[in-house]
Amino acid sequence: MFNFTWKKLGIITGLSLSLVVAGCGQADNGRESDKPEATTSVSEKLEYTITGIEPGAGQTETNEKAIAEYESLAGWKQETASSAAMLTALGNAIDNEEPIIVAAWSPHYKFAKWDLKYLEDPKGVFGDEEYITTIVRRGLKDDMPNAYTILDKIHWELPEMEAALLKAQEMDFEFEAVAQEWVDGNQEKVSTWTEGVESVDGTSINLASTSWDTELFSANVAKIVLEQQGFDVTLTVVDPSVLFGAISSGDVDASLSPWMPTTHGAFYEEYEGQFEELGPNLEGAKIGLAVPTYMDIDSIEDLEPAE
Ligand code: PBE
């Protein structure tokens, strides 16, 4: 099969490179473990391509920034399609123990499903830790104080979110059902969010979410909790690029989706002052480039520029 031939070719290339390196005088001590020869072949085998996600994702921009800033990524390209396509490519590569480098973020079930490692990012392009924050339109506090209080209190611990995402995978990503099950099983926590909040009689509220798992889960939980308090909730899924504008114009009342400070930082700055931030609903998130642990590289700087 094509893949097999391609893999074999890669191995042959790797071998001939190590012979070249050996011939250059570093021969005596352990040519097997010499890093440069291994990484050259990895970058070549990858065809200098990062497997990205949706063109509209915040991280897609950050990946481009990394390609621009790292000499080791000079001449590389990012292939974008969707998170689902990236996960399929990742699964296929792992089944065949082939190299792959993907746009990765956590929390996400891929880290539970496969042995992956983030590549070190010595230039800090991907930032350190991310948090997911809750934003609302200006005036929401006065117009819907009860919804505002609930949205302000909604918060998850990282292990709790990771467990919910694994559950979502088991439940075929039916996030309404996943969220309902979580709310039913976590009444005590939910009651701390709704404590002292008066019920309303069918007040309409518009929530927006981006399309990734963490956000779909949190938005659906918020929807159910608000509905239990008598709100009539509409939940719309949007791109990060339109999210801040929709909140700033007041078309959307609230969102629990923005990743900060890096992933959606540019959108945040563009609309800063035109929305209200209620603060993190989850801390300890992260984005970066990741590879399967069987790959012999640890840092973005272990990659090689395309000639
Ligand atoms: N992500 C997951 C999104 C936000 C949540 C990092 C892939 C992004 O906009 O890049």
Side-chain angles (χ1 to χ4, degrees), residues 192-219:
T192 65
W193 298 344
T194 56
E195 210 180 314
V197 174
E198 284 165 29
S199 294
V200 298
D201 190 14
T203 307
S204 294
I205 182 165
N206 292 321
L207 301 183
S209 171
T210 58
S211 63
W212 292 279
D213 297 356
T214 319
E215 290 65 53
L216 291 174
F217 172 72
S218 62

Side-chain angles (χ1 to χ4, degrees), residues 1 20 22 25 36 49 54 66-67 79 82 108 135 173 181-182 184 188 194 218 221 230 246 257 262 287 302:
M1 263 180 60
V20 172
T49 303
E54 287 79 359
I67 290 173
E79 237 166 45
S82 66
H108 190 277
I135 59 172
F173 304 102
E181 195 175 298
W182 189 88
D184 292 344
E188 214 173 294
T194 56
S218 62
V221 169
S257 294
T262 300
I287 65 168
D302 289 339

Side-chain angles (χ1 to χ4, degrees), residues 90 100-102 115-119 289-293 295 297:
L90 180 59
I100 186 165
I101 171 165
V102 298
D115 289 327
L116 304 174
K117 56 183 175 188
Y118 279 107
L119 293 180
L289 298 178
V291 298
T293 48
M295 283 177 68
I297 55 169

